[in-house]
């Protein structure tokens, strides 16, 4: 048994502060275990969102000692003995109460992503894809929508005014998945540029650093997406082709 001090943010949209809780922890516990014990033994009205406790639902996102992480995947043994552990709600989203934030911004952004539109089937009634395309898409589908990448992205974390025209890394991942799909016929590059704001991302890789699924968001999704947008709007050959098609 080890005694620790947990500094947990308590409050709501009108304000709040960190409250210290002294509690004993056992070997093998994670931060969510300790939060649950605080809830059970010391503060029954502590609000916290969680579901699977296995790092797959993305529900228990929080900021632990200033870093966006999943509480269920953050081991207590990873902290130095005697160190106070601070647990705060995600800063980018409005606070509902205590550690629970309103992430509905992400649901609204998701509605604006044009759906998958497959091309006609082959003559034998099937769709075919190369294995490399299958593997590329599989990485993107590992996303558990914890929104830690959205939380850490400074474009919306530090600039609330950017939210109406900025999709954020989670949805650049979605746009990239669709744009790179060999069977999809929709062209979303203008939307990505003009409505999703991919140009505002300056590829600091902070989103990749916090991804619990270790998706290479920046290298494998955002940078290729930027390249596709540039090809669409600034490539002189593509520009000439569009001019010729319009005249014809």
């Amino acid at each position: 048994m080890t005694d620790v001090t947990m500094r947990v943010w308590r409050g709501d949209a009108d304000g709040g502060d960190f409250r210290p809780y002294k509690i004993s922890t056992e070997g093998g516990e994670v931060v969510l275990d300790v939060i649950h014990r605080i809830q059970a033994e010391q503060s029954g009205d502590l609000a916290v969102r969680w579901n699977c406790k296995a790092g797959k639902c993305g529900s228990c996102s929080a900021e632990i000692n200033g870093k966006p992480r999943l509480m269920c995947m953050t081991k207590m043994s990873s902290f130095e003995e005697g160190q106070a552990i601070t647990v705060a709600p995600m800063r980018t989203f409005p606070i509902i109460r205590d550690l629970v934030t309103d992430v509905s911004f992400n649901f609204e952004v998701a509605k604006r992503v044009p759906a998958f539109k497959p091309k006609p089937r082959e003559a034998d009634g099937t769709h075919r894809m190369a294995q490399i395309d299958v593997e590329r898409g599989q990485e993107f589908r590992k996303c558990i929508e914890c929104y830690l990448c959205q939380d850490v992205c400074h474009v919306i974390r530090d600039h609330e005014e950017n939210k109406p025209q900025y999709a954020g890394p989670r949805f650049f991942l979605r746009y990239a998945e669709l744009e790179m799909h060999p069977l999809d016929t929709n062209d979303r590059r203008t939307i990505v540029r003009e409505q999703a704001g991919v140009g505002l991302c300056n590829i600091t890789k902070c989103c990749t650093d916090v991804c619990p699924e270790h998706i290479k968001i920046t290298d494998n999704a955002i940078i290729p997406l930027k390249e596709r947008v540039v090809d669409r709007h600034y490539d002189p050959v593509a520009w000439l082709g569009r001019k010729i098609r319009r005249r014809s």
Side-chain angles (χ1 to χ4, degrees):
M1 300 286 286
T2 303
D3 293 335
V4 298
T5 298
M6 304 290 289
R7 297 181 65 250
V8 183
W9 199 91
R10 302 300 307 275
D12 54 29
D14 296 324
D17 205 350
F18 289 96
R19 189 178 303 176
Y21 296 93
K22 293 187 180 298
I23 195 164
S24 296
T25 64
E26 300 177 4
E29 286 191 320
V30 294
V31 170
L32 186 59
D33 291 321
V34 181
I35 292 295
H36 280 164
R37 192 174 309 114
I38 291 172
Q39 193 180 51
E41 300 175 0
Q42 300 186 34
S43 191
D45 62 345
L46 172 61
V48 57
R49 182 181 283 142
W50 71 285
N51 187 20
C52 74
K53 199 178 175 290
K56 291 301 175 185
C57 73
S59 300
C60 65
S61 300
E63 297 190 8
I64 304 171
N65 285 356
K67 181 177 180 179
R69 306 172 77 170
L70 293 178
M71 288 188 282
C72 72
M73 298 300 288
T74 305
K75 296 180 180 180
M76 293 298 295
S77 60
S78 66
F79 303 103
E80 294 182 11
E81 189 171 341
Q83 175 186 9
I85 300 169
T86 300
V87 185
M90 291 189 288
R91 199 183 90 183
T92 299
F93 306 113
I95 293 172
I96 296 176
R97 188 161 69 86
D98 300 338
L99 301 178
V100 178
T101 52
D102 179 0
V103 296
S104 58
F105 160 77
N106 300 286
F107 307 144
E108 295 304 315
V109 174
K111 293 176 184 176
R112 301 198 294 264
V113 181
F116 176 69
K117 185 179 179 182
K119 64 183 181 182
R121 294 179 181 273
E122 304 288 344
D124 60 0
T126 63
H127 283 309
R128 290 185 176 84
M129 291 173 59
Q131 185 61 35
I132 189 172
D133 292 320
V134 174
E135 292 168 357
R136 181 186 295 117
Q138 283 299 109
E139 179 190 13
F140 299 152
R141 293 187 196 101
K142 287 165 58 181
C143 174
I144 60 174
E145 295 200 322
C146 60
Y147 303 126
L148 293 178
C149 61
Q150 299 284 83
D151 179 48
V152 79
C153 181
H154 64 276
V155 178
I156 48 178
R157 183 182 178 90
D158 300 327
H159 302 279
E160 183 74 19
E161 69 276 10
N162 285 335
K163 283 186 177 180
Q165 65 272 357
Y166 188 74
R170 188 278 169 270
F171 296 100
F172 292 147
L173 193 72
R174 177 63 175 152
Y175 277 110
E177 176 192 345
L178 292 167
E179 281 296 298
M180 296 178 191
H181 200 297
L183 302 180
D184 186 66
T185 59
N186 263 338
D187 186 346
R188 303 167 186 80
R189 289 174 293 179
T190 297
I191 294 174
V192 171
R193 174 177 176 244
E194 297 178 359
Q195 299 176 32
V198 73
L200 293 174
C201 171
N202 57 8
I203 55 176
T204 59
K205 296 192 178 184
C206 52
C207 52
T208 299
D209 290 342
V210 300
C211 179
E213 287 294 315
H214 309 291
I215 304 170
K216 296 180 179 178
I217 302 172
T218 311
D219 291 343
N220 292 350
I222 296 178
I223 292 176
L225 196 61
K226 281 176 170 281
E227 290 171 346
R228 286 168 179 260
V229 169
V230 169
D231 287 344
R232 172 69 174 82
H233 293 279
Y234 301 107
D235 183 275
V237 176
W239 175 84
L240 182 60
R242 289 194 299 273
K243 293 283 282 187
I244 293 173
R245 283 196 297 272
R246 280 199 294 266
R247 287 178 180 175
S248 62

